[in-house]
Each structure stands twice: as structure tokens, then as C-alpha cells.
Amino acid sequence: MGVIKLKNIKVYAYHGCLVEEKKIGSDYRVDLKIKADLTTSATSDRLADTVDYVHLNHIVKQEMAIRSKLLEHAAERILKRILEEITMVQKATVAVAKINPPIGGNVEMVTIIRSKKR
């Protein structure tokens, strides 16, 4: 088994329950961790034998571009697509963080973390 991590994927999106969030958007940070059997790719040195992190990044960016009221919903879509599209992935964990959330205080970010496995 092996692990692939994508850290600090930066996106601008329009998630949230407030009308203002729908109109002006916000900065987000996404961290992704997947577990897969990387034994074959470790010896073959072939992209076809591993989980392509370019594909993972593409999924994150596409799903974050679809508006959700809740970060949990965006995270669920990301996890679902990863498991549907990349059969090598046995487990995926995603953290979606809203930078400077509008919650009436000095809060750097709010993060939700979700995991799914086969």
C-alpha cells in the first residue's frame, strides 16, 4: 500500500449559505490523501500503473467549481468521483477549508474532513 498527498490546492469558489458568498466567492484550500497499491508502479516506472495526481487535481478543481451550500457536500462529490474514476484508490480523505470565513470573528479558516473507502 502507498499514499499520495496533494497539499494546499488553492481554488476560488462560491460555496456557502449566505447570499454574499454566492455573489463574491471566497478562497479555499483543499488537501487530499489517497491510499492505493503502488507496488507495480514502484517497479515499472509507468504512469499507467499508478494514480495520476494530475487527474486527482482535475477532479478537485472541477468539483470545487460547482456551488454548494455546505463544504461537506463539495467534499462528498470529490470523494465520490475519485472512487468512481480511479479504481486503484482504496481510500481517499479530503479536507476542504474556507479561508477567512464570514463568521464574525478573527478566524483564519474553517475546515471539514471526510473520508471514503471501498
Side-chain angles (χ1 to χ4, degrees), residues 90-118:
Q90 293 302 308
K91 182 179 179 182
T93 301
V94 65
V96 180
K98 182 182 285 191
I99 311 297
N100 297 318
I103 60 174
N106 187 10
V107 178
E108 182 179 348
M109 71 177 75
V110 173
T111 305
I112 65 96
I113 301 171
R114 301 251 311 126
S115 294
K116 269 190 173 311
K117 62 182 176 179
R118 292 195 189 282

PDB file of all heavy atoms in Angstrom, residues 90-118:
ATOM      1  N   GLN A  90      -8.008   2.896  -2.871  1.00  0.00           N
ATOM      2  CA  GLN A  90      -8.720   2.107  -1.868  1.00  0.00           C
ATOM      3  C   GLN A  90      -9.387   2.988  -0.812  1.00  0.00           C
ATOM      4  O   GLN A  90     -10.437   2.645  -0.286  1.00  0.00           O
ATOM      5  CB  GLN A  90      -7.757   1.131  -1.181  1.00  0.00           C
ATOM      6  CG  GLN A  90      -7.240   0.054  -2.116  1.00  0.00           C
ATOM      7  CD  GLN A  90      -8.376  -0.752  -2.718  1.00  0.00           C
ATOM      8  OE1 GLN A  90      -9.231  -1.265  -2.010  1.00  0.00           O
ATOM      9  NE2 GLN A  90      -8.404  -0.848  -4.046  1.00  0.00           N
ATOM     10  N   LYS A  91      -8.757   4.116  -0.527  1.00  0.00           N
ATOM     11  CA  LYS A  91      -9.304   5.055   0.456  1.00  0.00           C
ATOM     12  C   LYS A  91      -8.887   6.466   0.071  1.00  0.00           C
ATOM     13  O   LYS A  91      -7.766   6.673  -0.402  1.00  0.00           O
ATOM     14  CB  LYS A  91      -8.799   4.737   1.859  1.00  0.00           C
ATOM     15  CG  LYS A  91      -9.367   5.653   2.929  1.00  0.00           C
ATOM     16  CD  LYS A  91      -8.866   5.297   4.324  1.00  0.00           C
ATOM     17  CE  LYS A  91      -9.448   6.250   5.360  1.00  0.00           C
ATOM     18  NZ  LYS A  91      -8.944   5.966   6.700  1.00  0.00           N
ATOM     19  N   ALA A  92      -9.797   7.404   0.270  1.00  0.00           N
ATOM     20  CA  ALA A  92      -9.488   8.809  -0.005  1.00  0.00           C
ATOM     21  C   ALA A  92      -9.980   9.660   1.161  1.00  0.00           C
ATOM     22  O   ALA A  92     -11.048   9.421   1.712  1.00  0.00           O
ATOM     23  CB  ALA A  92     -10.155   9.265  -1.301  1.00  0.00           C
ATOM     24  N   THR A  93      -9.165  10.636   1.523  1.00  0.00           N
ATOM     25  CA  THR A  93      -9.522  11.606   2.558  1.00  0.00           C
ATOM     26  C   THR A  93      -9.331  12.990   1.975  1.00  0.00           C
ATOM     27  O   THR A  93      -8.293  13.273   1.374  1.00  0.00           O
ATOM     28  CB  THR A  93      -8.632  11.434   3.806  1.00  0.00           C
ATOM     29  OG1 THR A  93      -8.798  10.102   4.314  1.00  0.00           O
ATOM     30  CG2 THR A  93      -8.996  12.443   4.883  1.00  0.00           C
ATOM     31  N   VAL A  94     -10.335  13.839   2.154  1.00  0.00           N
ATOM     32  CA  VAL A  94     -10.254  15.197   1.638  1.00  0.00           C
ATOM     33  C   VAL A  94     -10.566  16.179   2.767  1.00  0.00           C
ATOM     34  O   VAL A  94     -11.450  15.940   3.585  1.00  0.00           O
ATOM     35  CB  VAL A  94     -11.203  15.410   0.426  1.00  0.00           C
ATOM     36  CG1 VAL A  94     -12.659  15.275   0.807  1.00  0.00           C
ATOM     37  CG2 VAL A  94     -10.952  16.753  -0.237  1.00  0.00           C
ATOM     38  N   ALA A  95      -9.791  17.253   2.811  1.00  0.00           N
ATOM     39  CA  ALA A  95     -10.037  18.358   3.735  1.00  0.00           C
ATOM     40  C   ALA A  95     -10.321  19.588   2.891  1.00  0.00           C
ATOM     41  O   ALA A  95      -9.526  19.955   2.028  1.00  0.00           O
ATOM     42  CB  ALA A  95      -8.822  18.590   4.627  1.00  0.00           C
ATOM     43  N   VAL A  96     -11.469  20.202   3.126  1.00  0.00           N
ATOM     44  CA  VAL A  96     -11.853  21.411   2.410  1.00  0.00           C
ATOM     45  C   VAL A  96     -11.924  22.541   3.427  1.00  0.00           C
ATOM     46  O   VAL A  96     -12.661  22.449   4.415  1.00  0.00           O
ATOM     47  CB  VAL A  96     -13.214  21.246   1.694  1.00  0.00           C
ATOM     48  CG1 VAL A  96     -13.597  22.527   0.957  1.00  0.00           C
ATOM     49  CG2 VAL A  96     -13.187  20.064   0.733  1.00  0.00           C
ATOM     50  N   ALA A  97     -11.152  23.590   3.184  1.00  0.00           N
ATOM     51  CA  ALA A  97     -11.081  24.710   4.118  1.00  0.00           C
ATOM     52  C   ALA A  97     -11.504  26.004   3.442  1.00  0.00           C
ATOM     53  O   ALA A  97     -11.052  26.313   2.344  1.00  0.00           O
ATOM     54  CB  ALA A  97      -9.661  24.857   4.654  1.00  0.00           C
ATOM     55  N   LYS A  98     -12.356  26.758   4.130  1.00  0.00           N
ATOM     56  CA  LYS A  98     -12.732  28.096   3.683  1.00  0.00           C
ATOM     57  C   LYS A  98     -11.812  29.073   4.408  1.00  0.00           C
ATOM     58  O   LYS A  98     -11.763  29.109   5.637  1.00  0.00           O
ATOM     59  CB  LYS A  98     -14.188  28.392   4.017  1.00  0.00           C
ATOM     60  CG  LYS A  98     -14.651  29.761   3.533  1.00  0.00           C
ATOM     61  CD  LYS A  98     -16.093  30.052   3.915  1.00  0.00           C
ATOM     62  CE  LYS A  98     -17.009  29.254   3.018  1.00  0.00           C
ATOM     63  NZ  LYS A  98     -18.414  29.688   3.152  1.00  0.00           N
ATOM     64  N   ILE A  99     -11.069  29.855   3.624  1.00  0.00           N
ATOM     65  CA  ILE A  99     -10.144  30.834   4.176  1.00  0.00           C
ATOM     66  C   ILE A  99     -10.925  32.090   4.584  1.00  0.00           C
ATOM     67  O   ILE A  99     -11.766  32.567   3.828  1.00  0.00           O
ATOM     68  CB  ILE A  99      -9.057  31.211   3.146  1.00  0.00           C
ATOM     69  CG1 ILE A  99      -8.421  29.956   2.510  1.00  0.00           C
ATOM     70  CG2 ILE A  99      -8.009  32.130   3.755  1.00  0.00           C
ATOM     71  CD1 ILE A  99      -7.699  29.057   3.456  1.00  0.00           C
ATOM     72  N   ASN A 100     -10.642  32.610   5.757  1.00  0.00           N
ATOM     73  CA  ASN A 100     -11.326  33.809   6.277  1.00  0.00           C
ATOM     74  C   ASN A 100     -12.847  33.713   6.178  1.00  0.00           C
ATOM     75  O   ASN A 100     -13.491  34.516   5.495  1.00  0.00           O
ATOM     76  CB  ASN A 100     -10.842  35.075   5.556  1.00  0.00           C
ATOM     77  CG  ASN A 100      -9.383  35.333   5.782  1.00  0.00           C
ATOM     78  OD1 ASN A 100      -8.882  35.189   6.896  1.00  0.00           O
ATOM     79  ND2 ASN A 100      -8.679  35.693   4.729  1.00  0.00           N
ATOM     80  N   PRO A 101     -13.447  32.742   6.842  1.00  0.00           N
ATOM     81  CA  PRO A 101     -14.901  32.567   6.752  1.00  0.00           C
ATOM     82  C   PRO A 101     -15.655  33.733   7.402  1.00  0.00           C
ATOM     83  O   PRO A 101     -15.175  34.321   8.374  1.00  0.00           O
ATOM     84  CB  PRO A 101     -15.139  31.274   7.534  1.00  0.00           C
ATOM     85  CG  PRO A 101     -14.018  31.222   8.519  1.00  0.00           C
ATOM     86  CD  PRO A 101     -12.837  31.815   7.799  1.00  0.00           C
ATOM     87  N   PRO A 102     -16.821  34.063   6.861  1.00  0.00           N
ATOM     88  CA  PRO A 102     -17.600  35.189   7.400  1.00  0.00           C
ATOM     89  C   PRO A 102     -18.398  34.766   8.635  1.00  0.00           C
ATOM     90  O   PRO A 102     -19.623  34.612   8.585  1.00  0.00           O
ATOM     91  CB  PRO A 102     -18.516  35.561   6.228  1.00  0.00           C
ATOM     92  CG  PRO A 102     -18.745  34.262   5.522  1.00  0.00           C
ATOM     93  CD  PRO A 102     -17.454  33.496   5.659  1.00  0.00           C
ATOM     94  N   ILE A 103     -17.708  34.556   9.755  1.00  0.00           N
ATOM     95  CA  ILE A 103     -18.397  34.082  10.961  1.00  0.00           C
ATOM     96  C   ILE A 103     -18.294  35.062  12.122  1.00  0.00           C
ATOM     97  O   ILE A 103     -18.506  34.695  13.272  1.00  0.00           O
ATOM     98  CB  ILE A 103     -17.904  32.676  11.382  1.00  0.00           C
ATOM     99  CG1 ILE A 103     -16.408  32.662  11.695  1.00  0.00           C
ATOM    100  CG2 ILE A 103     -18.229  31.649  10.318  1.00  0.00           C
ATOM    101  CD1 ILE A 103     -15.913  31.335  12.244  1.00  0.00           C
ATOM    102  N   GLY A 104     -17.962  36.287  11.815  1.00  0.00           N
ATOM    103  CA  GLY A 104     -17.979  37.311  12.838  1.00  0.00           C
ATOM    104  C   GLY A 104     -16.852  37.215  13.849  1.00  0.00           C
ATOM    105  O   GLY A 104     -17.055  37.422  15.031  1.00  0.00           O
ATOM    106  N   GLY A 105     -15.669  36.897  13.399  1.00  0.00           N
ATOM    107  CA  GLY A 105     -14.520  36.829  14.289  1.00  0.00           C
ATOM    108  C   GLY A 105     -13.247  36.714  13.491  1.00  0.00           C
ATOM    109  O   GLY A 105     -13.266  36.608  12.267  1.00  0.00           O
ATOM    110  N   ASN A 106     -12.143  36.707  14.194  1.00  0.00           N
ATOM    111  CA  ASN A 106     -10.853  36.584  13.543  1.00  0.00           C
ATOM    112  C   ASN A 106     -10.487  35.104  13.443  1.00  0.00           C
ATOM    113  O   ASN A 106      -9.774  34.566  14.286  1.00  0.00           O
ATOM    114  CB  ASN A 106      -9.797  37.367  14.335  1.00  0.00           C
ATOM    115  CG  ASN A 106      -8.467  37.424  13.617  1.00  0.00           C
ATOM    116  OD1 ASN A 106      -8.368  37.038  12.456  1.00  0.00           O
ATOM    117  ND2 ASN A 106      -7.450  37.877  14.308  1.00  0.00           N
ATOM    118  N   VAL A 107     -10.998  34.443  12.406  1.00  0.00           N
ATOM    119  CA  VAL A 107     -10.781  33.011  12.198  1.00  0.00           C
ATOM    120  C   VAL A 107     -10.061  32.824  10.870  1.00  0.00           C
ATOM    121  O   VAL A 107     -10.548  33.264   9.825  1.00  0.00           O
ATOM    122  CB  VAL A 107     -12.121  32.231  12.196  1.00  0.00           C
ATOM    123  CG1 VAL A 107     -11.891  30.761  11.938  1.00  0.00           C
ATOM    124  CG2 VAL A 107     -12.860  32.454  13.510  1.00  0.00           C
ATOM    125  N   GLU A 108      -8.909  32.191  10.913  1.00  0.00           N
ATOM    126  CA  GLU A 108      -8.109  32.007   9.697  1.00  0.00           C
ATOM    127  C   GLU A 108      -8.806  31.128   8.674  1.00  0.00           C
ATOM    128  O   GLU A 108      -8.840  31.432   7.482  1.00  0.00           O
ATOM    129  CB  GLU A 108      -6.755  31.396  10.053  1.00  0.00           C
ATOM    130  CG  GLU A 108      -5.839  31.225   8.864  1.00  0.00           C
ATOM    131  CD  GLU A 108      -4.485  30.636   9.240  1.00  0.00           C
ATOM    132  OE1 GLU A 108      -4.166  30.571  10.432  1.00  0.00           O
ATOM    133  OE2 GLU A 108      -3.758  30.241   8.330  1.00  0.00           O
ATOM    134  N   MET A 109      -9.351  29.989   9.133  1.00  0.00           N
ATOM    135  CA  MET A 109     -10.057  29.100   8.216  1.00  0.00           C
ATOM    136  C   MET A 109     -10.930  28.123   8.987  1.00  0.00           C
ATOM    137  O   MET A 109     -10.700  27.874  10.162  1.00  0.00           O
ATOM    138  CB  MET A 109      -9.087  28.340   7.303  1.00  0.00           C
ATOM    139  CG  MET A 109      -8.249  27.275   7.972  1.00  0.00           C
ATOM    140  SD  MET A 109      -7.185  26.340   6.848  1.00  0.00           S
ATOM    141  CE  MET A 109      -5.904  27.508   6.500  1.00  0.00           C
ATOM    142  N   VAL A 110     -11.924  27.627   8.292  1.00  0.00           N
ATOM    143  CA  VAL A 110     -12.781  26.561   8.804  1.00  0.00           C
ATOM    144  C   VAL A 110     -12.579  25.373   7.870  1.00  0.00           C
ATOM    145  O   VAL A 110     -12.642  25.522   6.652  1.00  0.00           O
ATOM    146  CB  VAL A 110     -14.267  26.979   8.810  1.00  0.00           C
ATOM    147  CG1 VAL A 110     -15.154  25.815   9.182  1.00  0.00           C
ATOM    148  CG2 VAL A 110     -14.480  28.144   9.753  1.00  0.00           C
ATOM    149  N   THR A 111     -12.333  24.197   8.451  1.00  0.00           N
ATOM    150  CA  THR A 111     -12.019  23.019   7.644  1.00  0.00           C
ATOM    151  C   THR A 111     -12.942  21.864   7.999  1.00  0.00           C
ATOM    152  O   THR A 111     -13.215  21.608   9.169  1.00  0.00           O
ATOM    153  CB  THR A 111     -10.570  22.569   7.896  1.00  0.00           C
ATOM    154  OG1 THR A 111      -9.688  23.667   7.660  1.00  0.00           O
ATOM    155  CG2 THR A 111     -10.175  21.402   6.995  1.00  0.00           C
ATOM    156  N   ILE A 112     -13.420  21.174   6.964  1.00  0.00           N
ATOM    157  CA  ILE A 112     -14.121  19.903   7.191  1.00  0.00           C
ATOM    158  C   ILE A 112     -13.259  18.802   6.568  1.00  0.00           C
ATOM    159  O   ILE A 112     -12.582  19.030   5.556  1.00  0.00           O
ATOM    160  CB  ILE A 112     -15.560  19.893   6.621  1.00  0.00           C
ATOM    161  CG1 ILE A 112     -15.581  20.008   5.088  1.00  0.00           C
ATOM    162  CG2 ILE A 112     -16.381  21.000   7.220  1.00  0.00           C
ATOM    163  CD1 ILE A 112     -15.675  18.694   4.419  1.00  0.00           C
ATOM    164  N   ILE A 113     -13.299  17.634   7.179  1.00  0.00           N
ATOM    165  CA  ILE A 113     -12.511  16.493   6.692  1.00  0.00           C
ATOM    166  C   ILE A 113     -13.455  15.303   6.553  1.00  0.00           C
ATOM    167  O   ILE A 113     -14.207  14.982   7.469  1.00  0.00           O
ATOM    168  CB  ILE A 113     -11.358  16.149   7.659  1.00  0.00           C
ATOM    169  CG1 ILE A 113     -10.444  17.357   7.822  1.00  0.00           C
ATOM    170  CG2 ILE A 113     -10.593  14.919   7.162  1.00  0.00           C
ATOM    171  CD1 ILE A 113      -9.401  17.196   8.925  1.00  0.00           C
ATOM    172  N   ARG A 114     -13.390  14.665   5.375  1.00  0.00           N
ATOM    173  CA  ARG A 114     -14.231  13.488   5.107  1.00  0.00           C
ATOM    174  C   ARG A 114     -13.377  12.406   4.472  1.00  0.00           C
ATOM    175  O   ARG A 114     -12.430  12.698   3.744  1.00  0.00           O
ATOM    176  CB  ARG A 114     -15.370  13.840   4.148  1.00  0.00           C
ATOM    177  CG  ARG A 114     -16.290  14.914   4.613  1.00  0.00           C
ATOM    178  CD  ARG A 114     -17.675  14.465   5.005  1.00  0.00           C
ATOM    179  NE  ARG A 114     -18.275  13.616   4.012  1.00  0.00           N
ATOM    180  CZ  ARG A 114     -18.773  12.409   4.286  1.00  0.00           C
ATOM    181  NH1 ARG A 114     -18.718  11.913   5.484  1.00  0.00           N
ATOM    182  NH2 ARG A 114     -19.326  11.686   3.339  1.00  0.00           N
ATOM    183  N   SER A 115     -13.742  11.157   4.728  1.00  0.00           N
ATOM    184  CA  SER A 115     -13.043  10.008   4.132  1.00  0.00           C
ATOM    185  C   SER A 115     -14.052   9.021   3.578  1.00  0.00           C
ATOM    186  O   SER A 115     -15.169   8.916   4.074  1.00  0.00           O
ATOM    187  CB  SER A 115     -12.201   9.290   5.192  1.00  0.00           C
ATOM    188  OG  SER A 115     -11.163  10.102   5.651  1.00  0.00           O
ATOM    189  N   LYS A 116     -13.613   8.299   2.561  1.00  0.00           N
ATOM    190  CA  LYS A 116     -14.400   7.207   1.986  1.00  0.00           C
ATOM    191  C   LYS A 116     -13.433   6.099   1.575  1.00  0.00           C
ATOM    192  O   LYS A 116     -12.324   6.375   1.152  1.00  0.00           O
ATOM    193  CB  LYS A 116     -15.164   7.665   0.738  1.00  0.00           C
ATOM    194  CG  LYS A 116     -16.541   8.175   0.977  1.00  0.00           C
ATOM    195  CD  LYS A 116     -17.224   8.343  -0.374  1.00  0.00           C
ATOM    196  CE  LYS A 116     -18.665   8.688  -0.297  1.00  0.00           C
ATOM    197  NZ  LYS A 116     -19.510   7.915   0.546  1.00  0.00           N
ATOM    198  N   LYS A 117     -13.896   4.857   1.702  1.00  0.00           N
ATOM    199  CA  LYS A 117     -13.088   3.741   1.218  1.00  0.00           C
ATOM    200  C   LYS A 117     -13.981   2.746   0.510  1.00  0.00           C
ATOM    201  O   LYS A 117     -15.192   2.784   0.633  1.00  0.00           O
ATOM    202  CB  LYS A 117     -12.319   3.094   2.360  1.00  0.00           C
ATOM    203  CG  LYS A 117     -13.159   2.495   3.455  1.00  0.00           C
ATOM    204  CD  LYS A 117     -12.281   1.937   4.532  1.00  0.00           C
ATOM    205  CE  LYS A 117     -13.148   1.413   5.691  1.00  0.00           C
ATOM    206  NZ  LYS A 117     -12.349   0.839   6.741  1.00  0.00           N
ATOM    207  N   ARG A 118     -13.342   1.885  -0.241  1.00  0.00           N
ATOM    208  CA  ARG A 118     -14.083   0.855  -0.971  1.00  0.00           C
ATOM    209  C   ARG A 118     -14.608  -0.190  -0.031  1.00  0.00           C
ATOM    210  O   ARG A 118     -14.081  -0.488   0.977  1.00  0.00           O
ATOM    211  CB  ARG A 118     -13.181   0.191  -2.003  1.00  0.00           C
ATOM    212  CG  ARG A 118     -12.825   1.123  -3.097  1.00  0.00           C
ATOM    213  CD  ARG A 118     -12.246   0.421  -4.313  1.00  0.00           C
ATOM    214  NE  ARG A 118     -11.759   1.422  -5.208  1.00  0.00           N
ATOM    215  CZ  ARG A 118     -12.537   2.151  -6.015  1.00  0.00           C
ATOM    216  NH1 ARG A 118     -13.810   1.975  -6.025  1.00  0.00           N
ATOM    217  NH2 ARG A 118     -11.997   3.073  -6.793  1.00  0.00           N
TER     218      ARG A 118
END
